[in-house]
Amino acid sequence: QSALTQPPSVSGSPGQSVTISCTGTSSDVGSYNRVSWYQQPPGTAPKLMIYEVSNRPSGVPDRFSGSKSGNTASLTISGLQAEDEADYYCSSYTSSSTYVFGTGTKVTVL
Amino acid sequence: QVQLVQSGAEVKKPGASVKVSCKASGYTFTGYYLHWVRQAPGQGLEWVGRIDPNSGGTNYAQKFRGRVTMTRDTSISTAYMELSRLTSDDTVVYYCARGYGSGTFDIWGQGTMVTVSS
């Protein structure tokens, strides 16, 4: 199972919006609404930010939103803040009843 | 509160095995799958496998089949991940994570660093 493809890095100024893509195949992202997004600041465990494509857990700011089209899911951070600087990973359930993560994207706040 | 607490860092020699524990609290241990995810230094996340604490049933990533064993002890709400025939490529941080609904890892342990070195 190959990792889902994400851009290595994205950046934006405070207040701007950034979008991270997560491209898979018809065997994972394209077939299931079981895509999640995780935020991982350096040296810490990942934190769930979005589940089932577009749902936010309690406590996650509504600046974070998710969507999906075909084999590509996306995470958008609106109104970028300094505290959003971290690595972000997508994940998806697969047709093999396993899970696959994305390659990871470093978000930098300029 | 809901949390997962993992065992401490380990140093192992090549060819040895390591067993990492993950103790759950604040929720019904048998009500949620428990997944294991690993991360090499400076690298991305990699799903290792999962266990159903209720039945003991497991599902492992193809890459680790034959080398990984996941077990649980429901009496102490603890899951275990054992990896054998360690190589330097197994120098990673292992995380346990609670599986919520369909394909969501909602609660994560703090991570356990395993170093494989001769």
Side-chain angles (χ1 to χ4, degrees):
Chain A
Q1 183 73 49
S2 298
L4 307 175
T5 300
Q6 298 180 229
S9 63
V10 299
S11 62
S13 299
Q16 289 187 329
S17 292
V18 296
T19 296
I20 303 168
S21 60
C22 169
T23 301
T25 70
S26 57
S27 296
D28 38 64
V29 175
S31 289
Y32 305 97
N33 287 329
R34 301 182 184 182
V35 176
S36 302
W37 289 91
Y38 303 88
Q39 178 193 66
Q40 187 181 34
T44 69
K47 173 189 174 183
L48 176 66
M49 304 301 285
I50 295 287
Y51 67 98
E52 293 173 0
V53 175
S54 58
N55 295 297
R56 271 188 316 277
S58 172
V60 172
D62 59 7
R63 304 183 287 105
F64 292 85
S65 62
S67 63
K68 190 186 88 165
S69 177
N71 294 341
T72 299
S74 299
L75 173 72
T76 298
I77 309 174
S78 306
L80 198 61
Q81 298 185 6
E83 67 208 50
D84 300 332
E85 193 160 285
D87 292 329
Y88 290 81
Y89 295 90
C90 59
S91 76
S92 175
Y93 181 72
T94 81
S95 59
S96 302
S97 301
T98 61
Y99 296 85
V100 61
F101 283 94
T103 49
T105 298
K106 181 177 180 61
V107 171
T108 301
V109 181
L110 301 171
Chain B
Q1 72 281 23
V2 176
Q3 63 177 352
L4 299 172
V5 177
Q6 299 181 222
S7 49
E10 302 261 14
V11 179
K12 296 293 182 180
K13 293 194 182 301
S17 298
V18 68
K19 190 171 186 177
V20 180
S21 69
C22 173
K23 182 172 177 58
S25 61
Y27 72 96
T28 302
F29 178 62
T30 53
Y32 300 82
Y33 284 2
L34 202 293
H35 297 258
W36 290 90
V37 176
R38 75 180 205 171
Q39 185 173 38
Q43 302 300 309
L45 302 172
E46 181 176 32
W47 186 77
V48 178
R50 65 88 176 149
I51 184 168
D52 177 353
N54 186 46
S55 67
T58 57
N59 188 17
Y60 306 137
Q62 179 67 40
K63 175 179 177 178
F64 301 103
R65 288 175 192 167
R67 209 160 65 91
V68 68
T69 304
M70 295 179 186
T71 57
R72 91 292 189 214
D73 184 340
T74 57
S75 69
I76 55 172
S77 299
T78 299
Y80 304 91
M81 190 280 305
E82 183 171 21
L83 190 65
S84 63
R85 304 193 302 276
L86 294 170
T87 72
S88 58
D89 289 342
D90 297 315
T91 294
V92 301
V93 174
Y94 289 90
Y95 293 101
C96 59
R98 189 177 78 164
Y100 171 80
S102 306
T104 298
F105 312 120
D106 67 335
I107 304 295
W108 292 69
Q110 83 276 19
T112 297
M113 181 72 210
V114 174
T115 301
V116 182
S117 174
S118 55

